[in-house]
Amino acid sequence: MKKILSLIVALAMVLSCTAALAEDMTVVVMPKLVGIPYFNASETGALAAGEELGINVIYTGPTTGDAALQVQMIEDLLIDGIDALAIAPNDPDSVSPALQKCQADGVLVMDWDTTANGDDVTYSIQQIDNKVLGEMLFDLLVEAMGTDEGEYAIVTGYLTAANLNTWIDFGKAYAAEKYPNLTLVTDPVPSDESAQEAYTQTMALIAAYPNLKGIIGYSTPGPIGAAMAVQEKGLQDQIAVVGTSMPTDSAPYLKDGSLDFGVLWDPAQLGKLAVYVAYLTITGQTVEGYEVPGVGPIHINEDGKTIIMADPSVWTAENVDNYNF
C-alpha cells in the first residue's frame, strides 16, 4: 500500500511540475513568410495546439520570404526569451548562425515545412516523404499531359527553398529514368511565393516555348499562378498544370481544367504537430508514438530526427469540394 501511495504522490508531483513548466513555456513557430493561405492555415493549427496544451505559442515571420529578416526576428526573440523555435527557413545557410546561437542559449530548435541544416535542429518536422512527393508530381504530370514525352517547365517558389529544391531534384532524377522523353525547357523559374509572379513567369514561358505541354508548380502559389495564365490564354487542352496547392485556392481552376491536379497535406495539422513535438520534448515526455489530436501518432525515422506527418493527398475537380482549407 505504501508503495502505491508513493507512486501516486510521485506521479502527482510529475504532473504538477509538467503543468507549471507548460504554463511558463513559450514556443515560437516561424514560417517562411506570413500572409499567404498556406501559412495562415499553419498558424491556425499551431495556435490551436497552444490552447490545447496550455502553453504560449507565438506564430510570427517576415512578410516576405527574406532569410535576413528571419535572422533579425530570431535575435529579437532571444532577447525576449523563448523555450523553443520551429522554423521554416528561407535559406538554411543564412539562418544557420542564428539557430546555432539559439541552441547555445538552451533553446530547443526544430525545423518544420522546410529543412534547415541538420546540425542546427533537434527534430525536423516534415509534411511528407520528399521522394514520394517528388516522384508523384511527375506521374501526375504525365497523366495530365496524356503522354510521357514533350516539353515541360517548372515554376517554383524561392530558389533557395530547401524543401522545394529537394522535391525538384527527386522528381527530375525519377523522370530521367522513367520518362526520358520529357524535356525540361529551362531551369526552374522562381515565383517568390506569389501567385501573381507565377502568372507572370508562366506567361513568359508560354510565349518563349510554343510547344510547351506541361508545368509543375512548387509552393502553393506556384500552381495557381500557372493555372491563371493557362486559363487566360485558353490553353487548358494544350498545357497540363499540376503542383502543390491549397484545395480552396485550386477549386475554380480544377473545375475549368486550367489546373489538372493539386497535391498537398493539411497545413493546420503540420503547425499543430510542430508545437506538440516541442512541448513533449521540453517537458521530457516520450515523443515516439504520442497521439496528437486530429493528426495521429508521431513516428520518428531511423535517423532519430525526422518526423514525417503523412502521405500527400491529391485534389481533382471531382473531390476538391470535400476539403475546406
Side-chain angles (χ1 to χ4, degrees):
M1 179 63 107
K2 289 182 178 179
K3 288 184 178 180
I4 294 175
L5 289 173
S6 296
L7 287 172
I8 292 173
V9 171
L11 178 60
M13 291 179 63
V14 169
L15 292 174
S16 176
C17 291
T18 299
L21 185 58
E23 186 176 339
D24 296 331
M25 186 188 305
T26 296
V27 175
V28 174
V29 181
M30 183 176 291
K32 293 178 186 175
L33 73 165
V34 295
I36 66 172
Y38 177 88
F39 286 123
N40 291 343
S42 301
E43 178 179 14
T44 299
L47 296 181
E51 291 182 4
E52 292 171 4
L53 295 168
I55 64 175
N56 180 33
V57 174
I58 298 172
Y59 190 94
T60 185
T63 55
T64 60
D66 188 333
L69 290 175
Q70 286 186 314
V71 170
Q72 183 59 57
M73 295 182 79
I74 293 168
E75 291 176 349
D76 291 341
L77 287 163
L78 280 176
I79 293 173
D80 294 336
I82 61 175
D83 297 291
L85 170 67
I87 183 171
N90 284 299
D91 181 353
D93 291 335
S94 295
V95 302
S96 181
L99 299 187
Q100 292 176 13
K101 184 177 180 181
C102 285
Q103 290 179 322
D105 286 357
V107 174
L108 171 68
V109 181
M110 310 184 306
D111 64 46
W112 71 285
D113 180 74
T114 308
T115 55
N117 291 337
D119 291 340
D120 295 340
V121 298
T122 299
Y123 287 116
S124 181
I125 315 299
Q126 299 179 20
Q127 50 277 72
I128 38 75
D129 183 293
N130 290 321
K131 186 173 185 289
V132 169
L133 179 62
E135 294 179 355
M136 174 187 284
L137 287 170
F138 274 85
D139 286 336
L140 291 173
L141 177 69
V142 167
E143 181 179 343
M145 287 171 53
T147 178
D148 63 359
E149 61 182 33
E151 296 181 352
Y152 77 98
I154 291 174
V155 178
T156 188
Y158 288 99
L159 295 177
T160 55
N163 62 333
L164 307 184
N165 291 336
T166 300
W167 301 339
I168 291 170
D169 289 344
F170 273 125
K172 286 168 63 179
Y174 175 70
E177 181 177 343
K178 187 170 182 180
Y179 306 119
N181 294 321
L182 286 179
T183 302
L184 181 62
V185 294
T186 187
D187 290 338
V189 295
S191 68
D192 298 339
E193 299 286 350
S194 162
Q196 183 59 44
E197 181 61 20
Y199 160 84
T200 300
Q201 293 281 16
T202 302
M203 292 293 278
L205 288 167
I206 291 171
Y209 303 100
N211 296 320
L212 196 64
K213 289 186 177 180
I215 296 171
I216 303 179
Y218 297 82
S219 85
T220 52
I224 302 304
M228 289 165 55
V230 169
Q231 182 188 67
E232 182 174 315
K233 288 291 188 179
L235 296 174
Q236 288 94 328
D237 294 332
Q238 298 179 46
I239 300 177
V241 179
V242 304
T244 53
S245 61
M246 299 279 283
T248 49
D249 293 338
S250 303
Y253 303 103
L254 286 167
K255 291 176 181 180
D256 85 345
S258 50
L259 178 65
D260 294 273
F261 295 107
V263 180
L264 206 66
W265 47 88
D266 187 342
Q269 291 183 351
L270 187 63
K272 175 179 273 195
L273 178 59
V275 172
Y276 265 84
V277 172
Y279 167 81
L280 294 170
T281 304
I282 292 171
T283 56
Q285 299 183 62
T286 301
V287 175
E288 174 67 33
Y290 187 94
E291 186 83 20
V292 178
V295 178
I298 298 173
H299 297 298
I300 304 173
N301 282 13
E302 292 180 358
D303 63 4
K305 177 172 294 191
T306 303
I307 296 171
I308 296 176
M309 186 175 73
D311 290 332
S313 299
V314 179
W315 353 109
T316 64
E318 291 71 32
N319 73 6
V320 69
D321 289 334
N322 296 333
Y323 300 91
N324 60 359
F325 60 92

